[in-house]
Amino acid sequence: MTMSSNETTTGKLTDADLRQIYGRYNHLNGMNDYPGQMHAGFTYAMIPALKKIYADNKEKRVEAYTRHMSEYFNVTPYVGGLPLGVVLAMEEQNAQDPDFDTSTITGIKTALMGPLSAIGDTVFHAAVVISMASAGNIAGPILFMLIFNIPQLITRWVTLKSGYRMGTKLLEQAESSGIMEKISYAASVIGLAAIGAMTAFNVNLTTALTIPNAAGGDPTMVQALIDTVCPKILPLCLVLLCYWLIGKKKVNVVPLLLCLLVVGVALSMLGIIA
């Protein structure tokens, strides 16, 4: 049943409030920065709701702004409405309960980021139309609208509204039934498969080294030998190296990109990589 703008959902927020949040939430991925990723967009989307939820408590409202701005958040934007809706419901609980532990809000955001991103990144990709569009086929942008834009806009609204309506019951039921662990495992498998495919298709690294032919014939291409044993092993090694440097050695992304550029040009000039 469709609710009017003046009716509430499960708490203080009306459908009109959720529509305002939805409009802001569409800009979630437009405010990224490296330290916090989507934290600014997430906070921006919540501002109208937080003003209403903490209308009588400025101190808690400012604390909520500060908390969300200082926390890392990164999720596939098209399914980000679910954690956003759940967090809104939890902020309402925080406004009503003086003993509420706000660290649980951070825990919910963190718990949902991984599984949702693994699923969202896999489902919402329309690379199939890129070749059509680049070839001048008018069906490319039309198909893009149909298989990407329209579904993702609908998914944003459905996940936002569902997350707010269900609130913390979503994770409570999932945890009690054990399905959350299964979803997380399945999502991690899907995510790893997607990352592997993206590495194979988007990272291009080959070697130009050759092995001289003792008989005087054409030299043997080292890359051809590598491809017969394990195709795309060099791009995989490069990705794993970057992952190790960022994750284990805490190398900043910008210096790493500059280093890759310099080393890549140097190795190319030396004839080591193609």
Side-chain angles (χ1 to χ4, degrees):
M1 180 177 68
T2 303
M3 301 178 65
S4 68
S5 297
N6 295 322
E7 291 181 271
T8 59
T9 50
T10 57
K12 292 185 176 182
L13 303 182
T14 65
D15 269 13
D17 295 325
L18 292 179
R19 283 193 291 271
Q20 186 179 10
I21 296 164
Y22 172 77
R24 286 171 167 251
Y25 156 50
N26 277 297
H27 302 289
L28 177 67
N29 204 28
M31 304 181 183
N32 276 19
D33 58 57
Y34 283 118
Q37 291 293 329
M38 301 175 183
H39 64 141
F42 192 88
T43 307
Y44 172 74
M46 295 186 68
I47 287 176
L50 294 178
K51 285 182 178 179
K52 187 171 185 178
I53 292 171
Y54 297 111
D56 301 325
N57 194 328
K58 182 179 179 181
E59 184 178 344
K60 273 197 171 184
R61 182 170 72 251
V62 173
E63 187 273 332
Y65 293 157
T66 305
R67 173 161 35 84
H68 289 293
M69 275 298 295
S70 62
E71 292 174 350
Y72 178 89
F73 183 76
N74 189 27
V75 71
T76 304
Y78 327 120
V79 292
L82 192 64
L84 180 57
V86 172
V87 166
L88 289 174
M90 296 185 72
E91 291 289 357
E92 288 190 351
Q93 294 181 23
N94 183 42
Q96 298 166 6
D97 183 2
D99 298 322
F100 187 86
D101 184 4
T102 56
S103 66
T104 59
I105 300 178
T106 303
I108 291 292
K109 290 167 64 176
T110 304
L112 288 174
M113 282 192 301
L116 287 176
S117 295
I119 296 171
D121 287 346
T122 304
V123 174
F124 288 96
H125 280 126
V128 66
V129 304
I130 294 178
S131 59
M132 298 173 63
S134 61
N137 191 332
I138 189 61
I142 294 175
L143 285 175
F144 180 78
M145 287 291 294
L146 293 176
I147 68 178
F148 175 74
N149 270 330
I150 294 176
Q152 66 96 359
L153 289 172
I154 294 173
T155 303
R156 284 175 186 260
W157 172 250
V158 171
T159 54
L160 172 62
K161 197 167 183 178
S162 299
Y164 178 63
R165 285 186 179 278
M166 291 184 290
T168 54
K169 291 182 181 179
L170 170 69
L171 290 186
E172 289 173 0
Q173 294 173 356
E175 186 175 355
S176 62
S177 64
I179 195 173
M180 193 65 180
E181 184 177 346
K182 295 178 182 178
I183 292 175
S184 299
Y185 176 75
S188 64
V189 172
I190 294 173
L192 289 172
I195 292 173
M198 292 173 64
T199 298
F201 284 100
N202 297 329
V203 181
N204 185 22
L205 177 62
T206 57
T207 179
L209 296 175
T210 60
I211 300 175
N213 192 323
D218 294 333
T220 302
M221 300 294 297
V222 173
Q223 185 62 48
L225 296 176
I226 294 175
D227 289 340
T228 59
V229 177
C230 187
K232 299 293 184 179
I233 187 63
L234 293 182
L236 176 61
C237 290
L238 178 61
V239 171
L240 292 176
L241 174 62
C242 293
Y243 179 80
W244 177 74
L245 289 172
I246 295 173
K248 298 295 184 181
K249 297 299 181 179
K250 307 300 179 183
V251 176
N252 191 277
V253 174
V254 175
L256 178 59
L257 290 174
L258 293 175
C259 182
L260 287 174
L261 179 63
V262 172
V263 172
V265 171
L267 291 179
S268 179
M269 293 179 66
L270 292 173
I272 297 176
I273 64 174

